[in-house]
Amino acid sequence: MPKNSHLIIILIVSSLCIKSISAQKYNSFVGIRFGGALPMGQFASHEFGKGGYALLGKSFGGEAAWFVSPKLGFGVDISMNSFDFASGYYAEDYLQNAPEYKSVDLLSGPYKLSTYMAGAYYKIALSPKLHTSFKLMGGIFKTRTPDQFYGVNTFLVGRMNFWKTSSQSLKFAFLTGASFEYKLYEQVSIMLQADFTFAQADFTFNAGTTSSYTEHLNMPVFRLQPGINIHF
């Protein structure tokens, strides 16, 4: 094959590689998010003996993704979430279901939830500055119940105090999400992200010195978070 033909092929391949790299430039990103986390289903239910009594929570997280093409990427998502416990409602329900008690006082910490996810992203450009992306991920769903202090007045023995210490559950879960992102500058954009994740947590508590019991709690969580991405 003539030398000129070799040169033409090299130039064509080089041009395609440069075009591909240029298309992916500033497509990958790292970012942070902060927003609200909504407990759903049994997790938020006020059904005594079954519900989790979780209130609207706060979520903070970080995310990073590398795109192998203008549309397809792979990345990780890490979040830390906390949900206050509806102490007043639970104390009222506890009293109604314990006729031997005259009153119930409850101090409670929050639920703590952290997720560690990895998966795939798919991006769709809506305009030169606006795009939407979707993700499907799987990973660790780690949660801890609140530490709680109970002070009860009984009809028979008077005042009693006791603790219910927290329990931890570690589960595999899926996360799905969608976001809208607007480019402020070439490498900086703001975004609004919605995620949903779910796991059935199993919490084991001590009941005396030699026995224990396990509570099962379905924990669907919806998060809505604004954030900022730095592209590279």
Side-chain angles (χ1 to χ4, degrees):
M1 184 180 290
K3 291 184 178 180
N4 288 342
S5 299
H6 281 291
L7 182 60
I8 291 172
I9 292 173
I10 292 172
L11 289 174
I12 291 173
V13 172
S14 299
S15 176
L16 290 174
C17 290
I18 292 171
K19 184 177 180 181
S20 176
I21 293 170
S22 177
Q24 295 179 43
K25 188 179 181 182
Y26 305 142
N27 207 25
S28 303
F29 68 86
V30 294
I32 57 172
R33 295 89 175 82
F34 180 80
L38 177 67
M40 303 172 70
Q42 187 185 9
F43 187 26
S45 170
H46 288 187
E47 183 179 359
F48 186 78
K50 295 182 179 180
Y53 288 79
L55 299 175
L56 180 67
K58 300 181 290 293
S59 179
F60 175 79
E63 192 171 10
W66 178 68
F67 279 76
V68 297
S69 75
K71 291 187 176 182
L72 181 63
F74 300 91
V76 294
D77 181 297
I78 298 173
S79 74
M80 306 295 171
N81 313 267
S82 65
F83 304 86
D84 287 337
F85 187 84
S87 303
Y89 291 108
Y90 187 81
E92 291 177 3
D93 293 343
Y94 198 136
L95 184 61
Q96 291 177 4
N97 287 271
E100 69 275 20
Y101 294 164
K102 291 193 292 185
S103 65
V104 175
D105 297 316
L106 171 60
L107 296 175
S108 178
Y111 285 98
K112 295 290 187 179
L113 166 64
S114 53
T115 60
Y116 307 88
M117 301 287 178
Y121 292 73
Y122 187 77
K123 181 183 292 187
I124 300 174
L126 303 177
S127 74
K129 287 197 170 186
L130 179 66
H131 72 262
T132 183
S133 61
F134 304 91
K135 62 184 178 183
L136 179 61
M137 315 184 91
I140 297 173
F141 188 101
K142 178 182 177 182
T143 187
R144 180 175 291 276
T145 61
D147 280 308
Q148 296 179 331
F149 173 79
Y150 291 80
V152 300
N153 284 314
T154 70
F155 288 102
L156 294 178
V157 298
R159 183 77 177 181
M160 290 173 41
N161 298 323
F162 58 90
W163 285 92
K164 184 177 181 180
T165 57
S166 65
S167 176
Q168 181 175 287
S169 173
L170 196 67
K171 292 287 185 175
F172 178 84
F174 288 102
L175 180 146
T176 183
S179 65
F180 286 95
E181 186 171 347
Y182 182 79
K183 184 177 292 186
L184 294 176
Y185 305 102
E186 190 173 33
Q187 292 177 258
V188 181
S189 61
I190 56 174
M191 50 88 66
L192 181 65
Q193 180 168 280
D195 292 340
F196 176 81
T197 187
F198 167 85
Q200 183 186 68
D202 300 323
F203 301 110
T204 300
F205 300 93
N206 293 325
T209 56
T210 59
S211 62
S212 63
Y213 64 96
T214 299
E215 294 181 354
H216 308 285
L217 184 62
N218 293 326
M219 301 182 69
V221 174
F222 174 80
R223 300 184 310 201
L224 186 64
Q225 301 171 300
I228 185 169
N229 284 343
I230 306 298
H231 294 265
F232 58 92

